[in-house]
Amino acid sequence: MDLFASIRPEVEPLGQGAYLLPGFADTDALLAHIPALLDAAPLRRMMTPGGRQMNVAMSNTGQYGWVSDARGYRYDAADPMSGEPWPAMPLDFISLAKQASKKAGYDGFEPDVCLINRYEVGTKLTPHIDQDEADKSWPIVSVSIGIPAVFQLYGPTRGGKAQNIALTDGDVMVLGGEARLFYHGVKPIAAATDPRFGPVRYNLTFRRAR
Ligand code: MD6
Ligand code: FE
């Protein structure tokens, strides 16, 4: 009998430069930083340029933060809620993003943004492309924390059939290469409970904005 047949590889290629690193992140270590970060820059549901309130609550840590309002989408060095700089990115966050990107074959990645997303049961993320970053040759590193999600990876155009990727606590996805500019979204989150903080999913996306 092959004792290792049921063990997933450390790096699963998803195609076109996207990779899944199952269970790569120590989410207890990451979560330890969350209260102070969200105290300094609280989660908020931003407005889209079209005037709709987003479903996902967001905040940022790092040199820049991703913001959306009536003026559009952009990266800003200040939190518009306070006018203050975003809280500094914890070294644990930076080192995780660097290690994960390197493991996926993208060496030299230095994130200057970590977007923090918070989902409740039923929250979804509409398909979109992340294209507000200056140099799209850098990957985006995405960490799932808490209750499971189904990530939908489409192609370079809107619509078509998605690759459904089940993400659980500690999974890290690296979107680089062609897949960096593929449409993607998150299906409505199914009812579940994380023993540490309840019916919630956090997602951290590490980016290089400038
Ligand atoms: C999420 N993630 O998993 C949302 N974007 O909650 C994203 O929108 C995303 O996971 C770019 C690259 C990786 C991602
Ligand atoms: Fe995205």
Side-chain angles (χ1 to χ4, degrees), residues 50 69 72-73 76 127 179:
D69 61 19
Y73 305 130
D76 205 316

Side-chain angles (χ1 to χ4, degrees), residues 119 125 128 130 140 142 151 173 175 184 186 201 203 205:
Y119 299 75
L125 182 65
H128 65 276
D130 294 83
I140 293 179
S142 167
F151 187 89
M173 217 176 43
L175 276 198
H184 57 273
V186 176
R201 172 179 185 255
N203 174 256
T205 44

Side-chain angles (χ1 to χ4, degrees), residues 66-87:
W66 185 84
V67 296
S68 175
D69 61 19
R71 286 159 51 206
Y73 305 130
R74 66 191 170 280
Y75 285 100
D76 205 316
D79 176 354
M81 256 174 75
S82 64
E84 297 291 319
W86 298 99

Side-chain angles (χ1 to χ4, degrees), residues 113-131:
V113 177
C114 172
L115 174 65
I116 304 170
N117 286 171
R118 182 188 196 269
Y119 299 75
E120 294 174 9
V121 172
T123 305
K124 66 175 167 134
L125 182 65
T126 306
H128 65 276
I129 301 182
D130 294 83
Q131 51 190 347

Side-chain angles (χ1 to χ4, degrees), residues 163-183:
Q163 182 177 3
N164 287 334
I165 300 151
L167 297 177
T168 58
D169 184 73
D171 288 352
V172 178
M173 217 176 43
V174 181
L175 276 198
E178 305 274 289
R180 172 68 179 73
L181 294 172
F182 281 3
Y183 280 89

